[in-house]
Amino acid sequence: MTDTHSHLYEPEFVDDIDDVIRRAQDVGVERILLPNINAASLRPMLDLCEAHPHYFYPMLGLHPEDVKADYADVLDEMEQNLQMPDHPYIAVGEVGLDFYWDRTYAAEQQNAFRRQVEWAVRYQLPLMIHTRSAHRELVDILEEYREENLSGVFHCFGGSLQEAEELLSFPGFVLGIGGIVTFKKSPLPEVLTHVPLERVVLETDAPYLAPTPHRGQRNESSYIVETRNKIAEIYKVSPETVDEVTNATVRRIFRRLK
């Protein structure tokens, strides 16, 4: 299994990161992809990757909730990392739009997202996209780049079938499915019956959104097994088949993986 979206560099894991890694490996997690959040999270993320080479893989991006008035300066500094020919980043992420709490920086978020999509084009990297309460705006921006052969993951998908179909109309993209699929009242299992397994990857979003039966706890990468097993149930295939298909999709999208 590949956990395509985990924040194990966050302070919640400082005291027991070695145990968290061991538990992930024990259930068969072969690699963990780490989306960046902001300038401050870069160093802790890279430290974790350097301590465990070929297990953790970093991304570079400014999370939409961290887009403020100074976003342009932050992005200027971040992009310098991508200009280095030997940079370690496997994707541009976690980027996107989030209008859930308010729209104070809505224009700035959209400008920041466009700029980071252009990074993906310029540096030939996939995108790890976060969207919440901003589906229409996100699709409209991506339409501007439809001819650029973009690829990536729509992280933490939990929307309707219509939204899934709109997102998957971008041929290089897949849906990131996490703990939400295991929630008792989630409509996601029904939606996924209309989505090919080849258009799905596994994720945790640790430390957030722990799956059932761990709901309400700190999430961690080992819990991805609950999501994998639920997806196997939905698609009526073996867990091993889910591992094989989703790992092939991961390798197709994240071409810088070792």
Side-chain angles (χ1 to χ4, degrees), residues 3-237:
D3 184 353
T4 61
H5 196 112
S6 185
H7 302 279
L8 295 189
Y9 55 83
E10 294 275 29
E12 288 90 336
F13 300 100
V14 167
D15 293 335
D16 65 342
I17 185 61
D18 290 338
D19 291 334
V20 169
I21 294 169
R22 176 183 52 77
R23 287 192 291 268
Q25 292 173 334
D26 285 348
V27 301
V29 178
E30 300 172 40
R31 64 188 70 80
I32 300 173
L33 314 187
L34 302 176
N36 185 49
I37 297 298
N38 52 37
S41 68
L42 272 174
R43 190 65 261 165
M45 179 184 66
L46 291 174
D47 286 346
L48 188 58
C49 293
E50 290 164 8
H52 302 273
H54 310 309
Y55 193 70
F56 291 105
Y57 294 86
M59 306 182 202
L60 182 73
L62 183 62
H63 191 287
E65 289 186 286
D66 283 81
V67 171
K68 308 300 180 187
D70 66 345
Y71 79 93
D73 293 335
V74 175
L75 293 180
D76 284 343
E77 188 170 338
M78 278 189 173
E79 188 178 3
Q80 293 177 19
N81 292 275
L82 293 176
Q83 293 168 347
M84 300 171 63
D86 58 347
H87 74 76
Y89 303 103
I90 62 163
V92 175
E94 173 176 0
V95 303
L97 303 175
D98 192 322
F99 302 147
Y100 181 77
W101 298 108
D102 63 56
R103 299 178 65 96
T104 302
Y105 292 103
E108 290 85 351
Q109 282 193 32
Q110 291 177 77
N111 290 337
F113 182 50
R114 282 190 178 90
R115 179 162 172 190
Q116 291 176 102
V117 171
E118 288 164 7
W119 289 357
V121 175
R122 184 176 308 124
Y123 301 105
Q124 297 185 311
L125 293 170
L127 287 154
M128 179 62 71
I129 296 180
H130 169 113
T131 179
R132 187 165 58 160
S133 301
H135 174 82
R136 178 51 45 212
E137 293 91 340
L138 183 96
V139 169
D140 287 348
I141 289 175
L142 286 178
E143 283 289 355
E144 300 170 17
Y145 301 92
R146 184 174 282 277
E147 303 305 316
E148 297 291 351
N149 296 317
L150 291 167
S151 64
V153 178
F154 293 110
H155 151 63
C156 197
F157 179 77
S160 67
L161 176 58
Q162 180 181 349
E163 289 171 334
E165 289 173 344
E166 283 195 89
L167 296 176
L168 294 178
S169 74
F170 298 96
F173 283 85
V174 300
L175 306 179
I177 305 299
I180 292 173
V181 75
T182 70
F183 295 175
K184 187 174 181 179
K185 296 183 178 180
S186 172
L188 198 48
E190 171 59 26
V191 171
L192 289 179
T193 64
H194 303 278
V195 174
L197 181 56
E198 290 77 9
R199 303 297 298 276
V200 165
V201 293
L202 306 174
E203 62 171 55
T204 60
D205 201 19
Y208 315 107
L209 294 172
T212 303
H214 308 285
R215 194 172 181 183
Q217 302 173 21
R218 179 194 71 173
N219 200 4
E220 60 177 74
S221 289
S222 64
Y223 296 168
I224 201 169
V225 72
E226 308 293 349
T227 299
R228 187 272 308 269
N229 291 346
K230 182 65 177 180
I231 288 179
E233 175 188 317
I234 293 166
Y235 285 95
K236 297 181 172 58
V237 298

